[in-house]
Amino acid sequence: MNKILIIIFLCFVLSPVLGQEKQGNERGEVKDTEFIIRKDRVLTLPKKNKNFEKVPALPQPEGLDKFDYEVRDFFFQLDPSPSKMKPYQKRFESSTGETYHSFVKLGYGNYQSPLAELHLNNLESDYLNYGVYLKHQGFYEGPIDKKNSAEDHTNIRIAANYFMEYFEAFGKIGYDRDKYHFYGYTPNLEINPEDIGQIFHTLFGRGGIRNIDRMDPFNYEISLGARIFNDDYSAREHQVDLNANAYYQISDNFKGGLEGQAFLTSPSDETYSDLNRNYLKASPYLEFKNEKFKLLAGANIILENDEIPGKSSSAHLFPRLKANYQLEEEFGLYASFEGDVQRNTYYSFVQENPYLGPSEKLLNTIQDFKATGGIKGNINDAFTYKFAISYGQYDQMHFYGNHENDSTRFQVVYDSTTNVLNYKGGIGYEFDKIYQLNAEVNYYHYSLESLTGAWHRPKWTLDVRNQFTPDARWLIQANAKVMGGINAINFQSDRTSTLNPIIDLQVKADYKLTDQFSLFVEGNNLLHQRNQRFWNYPSRGIQGIGGLTFKF
């Protein structure tokens, strides 16, 4: 029985293997095969019953619908508890050392020349700065007949600045007294010095406001001034003026601004009185600037009421152009073209020539145009230079001549149209803060229309200034002022002359004894020249003065 079962098992196991072997031998053979497709067969599924009942809504929770709170005030009757606090006191040593805000200077020299000078300033303050300046210097003997050519000068200034959060208020008042003598007479005459004396009195003041932060885009300054001037004779001149300047920095390269001036002047003299001279000027401009190039374009608009025969208008409009192109630090070009009206007053005339007599008329100078071109540069931050040539045309340019009624005094004369050619050169040099040099030379050529000479104007000038600082105690200055080609005229005698060149060598030295005390000495006209800036008025010879300075 077991054998029969084993034989049957083996038949089942071996039959598929034998079949595969037979099929493997017949791979690739295509046999006829029949497929039967039945289309009438339908598949059916049993139906499922659906539940159409709605899901019942869940019950909503009940919340609190009232929010009532009771607020109570609690007041406690407690005594204040004072806290005594004391800041920590620490003394910081100043790294700048002791500073002095004021000083006095006293000296004396030949020609009976005392000197007294005081600068008095307040202590450091965050809001208010003020100061007082007093000076008197006299030369009670002069080059001609001693007292007859004496002169002395007194100056008083009081100034203050008050700083607010955004602007600064400033003001200044002053008084000047200047005494001269008309000593341009024929020598060896017996003349009382009181009979030829001249004293100028000038009282002036100015006050205004300006913004503090100069880095703001908008900057401004406005000031109102007044001046009262008179001499020992008939000259009087009162003036009120308003100055206003403002500009706005549009961008890093562009800036626009306006400069304005207004003057109301009332002069009087022997030949005129109740005269009102008005002057109004507005100068709008636009400026472009970058690292190498700078250009300013604007205009000068002036209204003035001087009475001149044949005058077409009291209004003037002139262009105002300035350009500067710095190719390299060592070399740059600059040019300008501008017209203007230069104000002239009796006060400005006597500042140039203190031996002026009565004036017949006062006229402004019309600058029809002035064209300038030049070069400048800086070499190794030690040597600087500047050379230029300019040409201009002026109406009513003023000159001086000895007066037709009294040759010891001078009168103002005007040329109808004057052309001026000017050559100008300057150099500067600095060596290690020990030595500084600045020199400038000018040459002028005048082409006149109604006058025969450029009376009392120099044809050339030379100004040389040297400064030595060998150590912290010494300060030495050596200067030279030279001019020549001065033609003079005497309208009384109708004579003309060319004055000798003026050579004035000056030396000044200061020696520091201590932080507060120092000595000084000053010498003028060291070549002992009889320099005549105005005809018949020689200057003092060698003049020296020495003294002491004290800081406090």
Side-chain angles (χ1 to χ4, degrees):
M1 184 65 179
N2 292 332
K3 291 181 179 181
I4 295 172
L5 294 174
I6 293 172
I7 292 170
I8 295 172
F9 175 78
L10 292 175
C11 290
F12 280 103
V13 172
L14 294 176
S15 60
V17 175
L18 293 175
Q20 291 180 2
E21 181 179 356
K22 184 178 180 180
Q23 292 178 1
N25 294 332
E26 297 177 357
R27 182 180 295 272
E29 183 180 358
V30 179
K31 296 180 178 182
D32 294 332
T33 306
E34 183 180 354
F35 297 93
I36 299 173
I37 301 174
R38 296 180 61 180
K39 296 182 180 181
D40 56 347
R41 188 171 182 175
V42 179
L43 297 177
T44 58
L45 296 174
K47 293 183 180 181
K48 178 67 175 178
N49 297 325
K50 295 182 180 181
N51 187 4
F52 294 98
E53 295 182 0
K54 295 183 180 180
V55 178
L58 297 176
Q60 296 292 329
E62 294 182 0
L64 300 176
D65 58 353
K66 291 185 178 181
F67 298 90
D68 294 334
Y69 300 94
E70 183 178 359
V71 180
R72 298 180 181 181
D73 296 328
F74 298 90
F75 297 97
F76 300 94
Q77 299 297 328
L78 299 178
D79 296 331
S81 176
S83 299
K84 295 182 179 180
M85 301 179 65
K86 185 177 181 182
Y88 174 68
Q89 300 292 333
K90 182 177 180 180
R91 185 173 182 178
F92 295 91
E93 298 295 336
S94 174
S95 59
T96 59
E98 187 175 3
T99 58
Y100 305 100
H101 302 84
S102 307
F103 74 89
V104 61
K105 187 175 184 180
L106 301 173
Y108 194 82
N110 60 333
Y111 290 100
Q112 294 190 16
S113 54
L115 171 65
E117 188 173 345
L118 173 65
H119 294 257
L120 184 63
N121 301 294
N122 67 313
L123 299 178
E124 295 181 4
S125 172
D126 294 335
Y127 303 101
L128 177 64
N129 290 335
Y130 60 87
V132 177
Y133 168 72
L134 305 173
K135 181 180 179 181
H136 176 79
Q137 185 171 20
F139 301 93
Y140 293 104
E141 291 184 355
I144 302 296
D145 296 336
K146 294 185 176 181
K147 292 184 178 181
N148 285 11
S149 54
E151 66 178 85
D152 64 80
H153 309 276
T154 302
N155 312 106
I156 301 174
R157 304 283 188 275
I158 301 175
N161 300 72
Y162 188 77
F163 300 92
M164 305 291 286
E165 184 176 359
Y166 299 108
F167 67 90
E168 169 195 358
F170 61 92
K172 179 174 67 174
I173 59 173
Y175 170 75
D176 293 330
R177 180 187 182 275
D178 302 286
K179 184 175 183 179
Y180 298 91
H181 288 83
F182 296 106
Y183 63 91
Y185 53 81
T186 304
N188 303 320
L189 293 178
E190 293 292 336
I191 296 179
N192 188 343
E194 299 298 328
D195 297 334
I196 57 174
Q198 169 69 293
I199 301 178
F200 299 124
H201 301 272
T202 308
L203 179 65
F204 60 90
R206 179 168 296 280
I209 59 173
R210 56 185 168 226
N211 66 306
I212 293 178
D213 191 355
R214 294 295 175 176
M215 300 303 294
D216 283 348
F218 180 69
N219 285 267
Y220 63 89
E221 179 174 335
I222 303 174
S223 64
L224 180 66
R227 186 183 69 222
I228 301 174
F229 169 81
N230 65 274
D231 66 4
D232 263 5
Y233 295 88
S234 301
R236 303 287 185 273
E237 191 172 67
H238 302 162
Q239 176 180 287
V240 177
D241 67 275
L242 175 67
N243 283 268
N245 299 317
Y247 70 85
Y248 182 76
Q249 194 73 40
I250 303 172
S251 65
D252 293 339
N253 301 113
F254 285 95
K255 179 175 72 173
L258 175 65
E259 300 171 354
Q261 294 178 317
F263 295 88
L264 304 177
T265 310
S266 299
S268 62
D269 210 334
E270 291 181 357
T271 58
Y272 56 85
S273 61
D274 299 328
L275 181 64
N276 292 319
R277 301 184 66 223
N278 303 325
Y279 179 96
L280 178 63
K281 178 180 178 180
S283 300
Y285 66 89
L286 181 65
E287 179 182 291
F288 172 80
K289 181 179 180 182
N290 58 21
E291 293 181 357
K292 291 188 175 182
F293 184 70
K294 180 179 179 180
L295 174 65
L296 185 146
N300 290 327
I301 307 168
I302 300 102
L303 295 174
E304 48 85 25
N305 64 341
D306 283 350
E307 296 182 0
I308 303 172
K311 183 177 180 179
S312 59
S313 175
S314 297
H316 307 271
L317 175 62
F318 299 106
R320 182 187 180 194
L321 299 171
K322 296 181 180 180
N324 181 22
Y325 183 56
Q326 199 70 30
L327 284 79
E328 298 292 341
E329 185 179 2
E330 295 81 8
F331 182 78
L333 303 171
Y334 68 96
S336 66
F337 185 88
E338 185 175 7
D340 204 350
V341 177
Q342 302 173 2
R343 286 191 70 246
N344 295 322
T345 63
Y346 190 81
Y347 176 82
S348 65
F349 288 148
V350 297
Q351 298 304 302
E352 294 180 354
N353 185 350
Y355 309 108
L356 198 63
S359 60
E360 294 183 1
K361 57 183 177 180
L362 302 174
L363 298 177
N364 296 319
T365 298
I366 310 299
Q367 178 182 302
D368 296 323
F369 70 88
K370 181 181 179 182
T372 304
I375 60 175
K376 63 180 179 178
N378 186 329
I379 301 176
N380 296 329
D381 292 330
F383 179 77
T384 60
Y385 65 90
K386 188 174 184 180
F387 301 97
I389 180 172
S390 64
Y391 182 78
Q393 179 175 293
Y394 304 85
D395 299 334
Q396 291 87 243
M397 177 173 276
H398 68 276
F399 302 87
Y400 300 104
N402 294 76
H403 206 283
E404 58 187 359
N405 298 326
D406 183 357
S407 62
T408 64
R409 307 184 187 189
F410 290 83
Q411 66 184 77
V412 181
V413 292
Y414 302 91
D415 185 57
S416 56
T417 302
T418 308
N419 296 316
V420 182
L421 178 64
N422 173 221
Y423 299 95
K424 181 178 181 179
I427 60 172
Y429 178 73
E430 182 175 356
F431 176 71
D432 198 25
K433 298 183 180 180
I434 297 176
Y435 172 69
Q436 293 88 35
L437 165 68
N438 289 282
E440 182 177 291
V441 61
N442 283 275
Y443 175 78
Y444 302 93
H445 177 74
Y446 298 92
S447 298
L448 306 165
E449 185 175 79
S450 57
L451 297 180
T452 57
W455 310 122
H456 283 97
R457 285 186 180 264
K459 288 185 178 179
W460 56 270
T461 63
L462 174 64
D463 187 6
V464 181
R465 288 160 290 172
N466 298 274
Q467 181 171 302
F468 306 87
T469 313
D471 57 41
R473 292 182 176 271
W474 280 100
L475 175 61
I476 303 172
Q477 295 175 323
N479 307 321
K481 294 184 178 181
V482 188
M483 65 177 61
I486 301 175
N487 294 319
I489 185 171
N490 188 325
F491 289 110
Q492 189 176 48
S493 61
D494 202 26
R495 292 188 302 114
T496 62
S497 177
T498 300
L499 306 182
N500 294 328
I502 297 174
I503 304 176
D504 185 6
L505 299 184
Q506 307 171 345
V507 173
K508 300 178 182 179
D510 287 86
Y511 180 72
K512 185 178 178 181
L513 297 173
T514 65
D515 289 340
Q516 292 183 265
F517 289 92
S518 61
L519 301 174
F520 74 92
V521 63
E522 178 179 341
N524 298 292
N525 195 12
L526 298 181
L527 297 182
H528 196 59
Q529 300 289 307
R530 290 178 63 85
N531 298 318
Q532 291 190 53
R533 178 61 183 88
F534 299 101
W535 201 7
N536 296 330
Y537 280 86
S539 65
R540 294 179 292 272
I542 296 179
Q543 196 272 321
I545 186 172
L548 175 71
T549 300
F550 171 66
K551 298 179 181 179
F552 60 95

